[in-house]
Amino acid sequence: MSLTFSATVTGSVTDGVLVVTIDNPPVNAASADMRQGLFAAIDHAAADSGIAGVVVTGAGKTFVGGADIREFGKPMAEPLLPQLVNHIEACDKPVVAAINGAALGGGLEIALGCHHRIASPAAKLGLPEVKLGIVPGAGGTQRLPRLAGIVAAAEMAATGRMVGADEALALGIVDEVTTDDLVAKAVAAVGALAGDPPRRSGELAVQAADAEAFDKMSAKVLARARGQDAPAEALRLVRSAGERTLAEGLVDERATFIRLRDADQAKALRHVFFAERAAAKVDGLEGVEPRPIRTIGIVGLGLMGSGIAVAALDGGYTVIGAEMTAEAAEKGRERIVAVLDRNVASGRLDADGREKRLARLTTSGRLEDLADADLVIEAVFDDLAVKTELFQRLDAIVRPDAVLATNTSYLDPDVLAAATTRPERVVGLHFFSPANIMRLVEVVNCARTAPDVLATALAVAKKLGKLPVVSGVTEGFIGNSIFSAYRREAEFLLEDGALPQEIDAAMEAYGFAMGPFAVFDLAGLEIAWARRKRQAGTRDPAERYVEIADRLCEAGRFGQKAGRGWYAYPDGKRTVDPEVTALIEAARTKKSIVARRIEAEEIVSRLLGAMAAEGDRLLANKIALRASDIDLVLINGYGFPAHRGGPMFAAGRS
Ligand code: T1G
């Protein structure tokens, strides 16, 4: 007999057990309708003497993906999630969670309110709220430590790390893992538990924490949390679970959740969450099938190319790495193997994974060996003549349906496309170094790129686990265009009166891991210098131009690797250098600029404003599809603090 408790919650009685299924696509989020339905299902079971207990499970691949984030900022209908979780836990009949997939945030909290938890191997459990700038708000910080202990629970709540079924079992978060019929197993568990007092996680004692382990974990978490409020609050709430009653802890948790939910950081991180999902949606690609890609050729196995090769191997592709000579190819292979070995040493990869990847890798000193590649990505020296000649050769080697992608940062991919007989198959895949680590890939939609080629590039980037953002063709695409505007304004500030260390301090206080001048030194000053010299002949004389960086380069101050740049680096330690201050003062004098004190607030405002103004230009010229895409590029490629939402969000433009 089928029972309907709400539009998204239905039930059926099997062997005297009410099996409740949550079906709220796409992720079974705990919407108002779902909460009302599940609440009613528990009431129904409690009232029906023919029902021995309840099984709660999700339809599809998710158990419950969490509270419905789209409801945040709107009036919340009862029952609120904590009320629902408390209601489940208070039920006098056994309620068993059959965790069939992701149980995240409120989804895990619902499972923790159940009296017994059985997970399928596909289950993923976690409290990712801190990634949204909040803390769990329905008992997660209070019930999880009662099952998993304070240190493990605190680490999960403060980092948002998900655990798989086996780790959840080892931690005591779930009671069983089964590869059998999950619901049948849960129905049997209800039968076995019926008649006994339910085991309520909220009533369990909290085991005393290993203080040293907690402090060590906490220090690591807070070091990474830089400027974010939620992780410290999550640590505090879990840590204090052992010092007060469940009721007291729940009150503090809820108040903290509401305070953080309505604060700026959570609003920014919710923006980023939805921005990431919007970025993959490109008008005109609905229903466009990507071309099947199994073998990826990579030309150029230097730092970028070898990183891209590892990313492709990690993504499950067969990889042919090509260089111009056998020796260079062998060196490239060594670079790839070295990255894999580092991943094994760090525990990110096991020996079997390493072997499987190497079995899918071949390297060659002959471009002709790329003939069977479905996609070829070039990552050779960023020189137009070199890349153009390479594309002409590849065009004649690969199949007509093969896709050709350029990793260029600054060159015009339309010129490369025009050098081939099939420009429609050319696209840009601008990776960020190290390509096997950085999530961001700018997918450059060239003038002639065919829709299915663009769809192919997006699909490959997604399979690589990357965050693809579509960019049109302009020098520097989205990221480097904005970064150039950021650099220009930072140098204007120098002329006007600020010093590199003051500008860096202001931006680091705002939330950047590194200020602009520290970043310029890290990246090296010579490439920007070469570009400025190339552009000198055509530069508009009316345009304000700052010569300070040129003076640095003329003095051989090319940045951290050279031991001197905007800073000096005695023993590798970034140090203010009076020589640079003198160079800046001389540049001001040359332009008769009277330096003035510039406060941090003006520094931040001008630099954010410069980025947002360039973002407006990119939107007006249709280089970026949406303002939130620009935010994603700056956050994932240039260290813009995610909890500030990105330059366009910070400027109120997205
Ligand atoms: N609420 C609303 N919409 C959501 C959602 C959510 N929690 N999670 C995903 N979506 C949408 C998403 O925007 C996209 O929409 C579609 O679902 C597919 O998402 C009280 C308060 C579950 C692992 O943080 O991690 O519980 O673009 O592409 O790759 O303590 O979604 O199709 O229109 O990501 O299969 C805590 C967030 C909330 C989990 C599935 N939960 N979601 O991944 O699909 S706060 C989370 C995810 C909370 C309580 C607190 C993933 C997923 P559209 P998708 P996926």
Side-chain angles (χ1 to χ4, degrees):
M1 174 182 65
S2 164
L3 296 162
T4 299
F5 298 108
S6 73
T8 57
V9 179
T10 56
S12 62
V13 180
T14 304
D15 301 339
V17 175
L18 174 61
V19 178
V20 178
T21 301
I22 298 160
D23 191 0
N24 184 20
V27 298
N28 291 339
S31 62
D33 180 85
M34 181 274 215
R35 300 193 301 270
Q36 286 153 11
L38 190 48
F39 198 100
I42 297 295
D43 284 345
H44 178 88
D48 184 334
S49 59
I51 289 175
V54 183
V55 168
V56 179
T57 195
K61 66 182 173 73
T62 309
F63 175 68
V64 174
D68 189 332
I69 309 173
R70 295 181 197 279
E71 289 184 355
F72 288 5
K74 298 172 189 159
M76 299 287 271
E78 294 205 341
L80 303 179
L81 208 46
Q83 291 166 324
L84 171 61
V85 174
N86 293 343
H87 192 60
I88 293 169
E89 185 168 72
C91 183
D92 288 329
K93 296 180 179 177
V95 183
V96 174
I99 307 174
N100 58 298
L104 300 176
L108 177 54
E109 290 170 310
I110 285 170
L112 295 175
C114 295
H115 306 124
H116 189 81
R117 286 156 291 279
I118 305 178
S120 83
K124 287 188 294 189
L125 300 90
L127 295 173
E129 286 86 342
V130 289
K131 294 180 180 176
L132 295 169
I134 53 181
V135 293
T141 65
Q142 305 303 304
R143 290 190 172 91
L144 191 60
R146 285 174 161 80
L147 290 171
I150 284 180
V151 176
E155 189 267 339
M156 285 178 67
T159 62
R161 184 176 72 89
M162 289 191 275
V163 298
D166 293 342
E167 185 177 0
L169 181 66
L171 287 172
I173 303 172
V174 300
D175 303 289
E176 294 177 61
V177 175
T178 181
T179 53
D180 297 338
D181 180 326
L182 179 63
V183 170
K185 196 89 177 168
V187 167
V190 168
L193 293 168
D196 297 340
R199 177 179 179 255
R200 297 187 173 99
S201 51
E203 292 172 354
L204 299 177
V206 183
Q207 300 305 313
D210 171 340
E212 192 183 334
F214 184 91
D215 293 346
K216 191 158 163 266
M217 174 277 297
S218 171
K220 217 165 88 184
V221 165
L222 293 177
R224 282 178 47 202
R226 282 187 55 75
Q228 299 194 33
D229 299 330
E233 287 298 273
L235 290 171
R236 177 184 68 78
L237 286 162
V238 174
R239 182 68 190 264
S240 55
E243 297 148 14
R244 51 190 176 180
T245 66
L246 174 70
E248 289 165 339
L250 291 177
V251 167
D252 185 359
E253 177 194 74
R254 189 71 188 166
T256 306
F257 159 72
I258 289 169
R259 172 169 55 80
L260 290 173
R261 180 198 62 193
D262 299 341
D264 292 344
Q265 290 193 5
K267 289 172 186 158
L269 288 167
R270 278 199 294 278
H271 159 72
V272 172
F273 176 87
F274 289 116
E276 289 193 355
R277 286 147 182 87
K281 296 185 176 84
V282 180
D283 288 349
L285 292 190
E286 299 79 14
V288 173
E289 271 305 300
R291 295 183 186 179
I293 303 292
R294 273 173 293 281
T295 299
I296 297 181
I298 295 163
V299 184
L301 299 176
L303 176 67
M304 280 308 287
S306 54
I308 297 169
V310 171
L313 290 167
D314 288 345
Y317 290 104
T318 295
V319 172
I320 307 172
E323 274 283 4
M324 299 308 152
T325 66
E327 296 73 22
E330 186 45 35
K331 280 203 179 318
R333 179 184 183 79
E334 287 164 9
R335 278 190 207 96
I336 294 165
V337 171
V339 175
L340 294 177
D341 290 344
R342 280 201 297 276
N343 289 348
V344 170
S346 68
R348 268 209 296 269
L349 181 66
D350 61 21
D352 180 49
R354 176 184 181 280
E355 287 321 304
K356 285 200 171 95
R357 283 163 176 76
L358 289 176
R360 284 186 274 112
L361 171 67
T362 52
T363 49
S364 161
R366 299 175 62 251
L367 285 184
E368 289 70 19
D369 289 343
L370 296 174
D372 291 340
D374 305 307
L375 160 68
V376 177
I377 304 170
E378 68 78 19
V380 299
F381 181 62
D382 223 15
D383 172 275
L384 193 57
V386 169
K387 289 186 190 283
T388 304
E389 195 259 339
L390 173 61
F391 264 58
Q392 286 166 331
R393 288 184 61 193
L394 290 171
D395 190 41
I397 291 169
V398 300
R399 298 192 319 267
D401 65 319
V403 173
L404 296 181
T406 172
N407 173 59
T408 187
S409 303
Y410 276 99
L411 301 177
D412 182 347
D414 287 337
V415 172
L416 302 179
T420 68
T421 57
R422 294 182 174 80
E424 69 281 357
R425 65 155 159 204
V426 174
V427 68
L429 277 174
H430 179 220
F431 289 85
F432 285 73
S433 186
N436 55 305
I437 304 287
M438 296 288 278
R439 286 182 69 211
L440 180 67
V441 175
E442 284 181 308
V443 177
V444 186
N445 187 15
C446 310
R448 308 275 297 273
T449 300
D452 72 324
V453 170
L454 183 61
T456 303
L458 287 165
V460 168
K462 199 166 165 80
K463 186 154 185 245
L464 296 179
K466 300 297 181 186
L467 175 62
V469 175
V470 173
S471 172
V473 174
T474 189
E475 176 163 7
F477 311 129
I478 295 172
N480 283 332
S481 294
I482 301 273
F483 195 66
S484 296
Y486 180 54
R487 182 178 48 72
R488 261 195 315 276
E489 192 62 31
E491 293 180 356
F492 293 163
L493 281 161
L494 288 184
E495 281 192 338
D496 293 350
L499 290 171
Q501 57 273 25
E502 293 167 343
I503 294 168
D504 283 358
M507 296 316 281
E508 285 159 21
Y510 178 76
F512 281 80
M514 288 172 77
F517 292 97
V519 170
F520 302 151
D521 270 358
L522 189 65
L525 309 183
E526 59 273 39
I527 292 179
W529 187 36
R531 200 169 59 257
R532 289 199 301 272
K533 286 194 285 187
R534 264 202 318 274
Q535 293 165 341
T538 54
R539 185 175 299 122
D540 174 356
E543 186 186 289
R544 182 176 180 184
Y545 180 76
V546 178
E547 299 176 351
I548 301 169
D550 298 342
R551 297 294 87 78
L552 286 178
C553 293
E554 287 153 9
R557 302 182 70 110
F558 291 118
Q560 196 162 339
K561 273 184 288 203
R564 301 184 311 150
W566 289 102
Y567 295 94
Y569 292 87
D571 318 321
K573 188 176 175 319
R574 189 179 313 125
T575 310
V576 173
D577 186 342
E579 260 188 50
V580 172
T581 308
L583 270 174
I584 292 167
E585 286 165 350
R588 291 170 184 159
T589 306
K590 185 179 171 192
K591 287 191 174 179
S592 311
I593 291 171
V594 177
R596 64 181 174 84
R597 169 111 190 102
I598 302 180
E599 298 302 333
E601 190 181 348
E602 180 184 345
I603 291 171
V604 172
S605 163
R606 281 177 56 175
L607 289 175
L608 293 184
M611 286 194 264
E614 178 63 14
D616 287 342
R617 187 187 73 81
L618 294 171
L619 288 168
N621 296 342
K622 300 198 183 326
I623 301 300
L625 297 178
R626 53 182 80 81
S628 59
D629 280 2
I630 296 170
D631 291 333
L632 293 177
V633 170
L634 270 292
I635 289 166
N636 291 282
Y638 298 80
F640 197 102
H643 62 272
R644 298 282 191 172
M648 305 308 275
F649 181 85
R653 289 178 171 77
S654 71

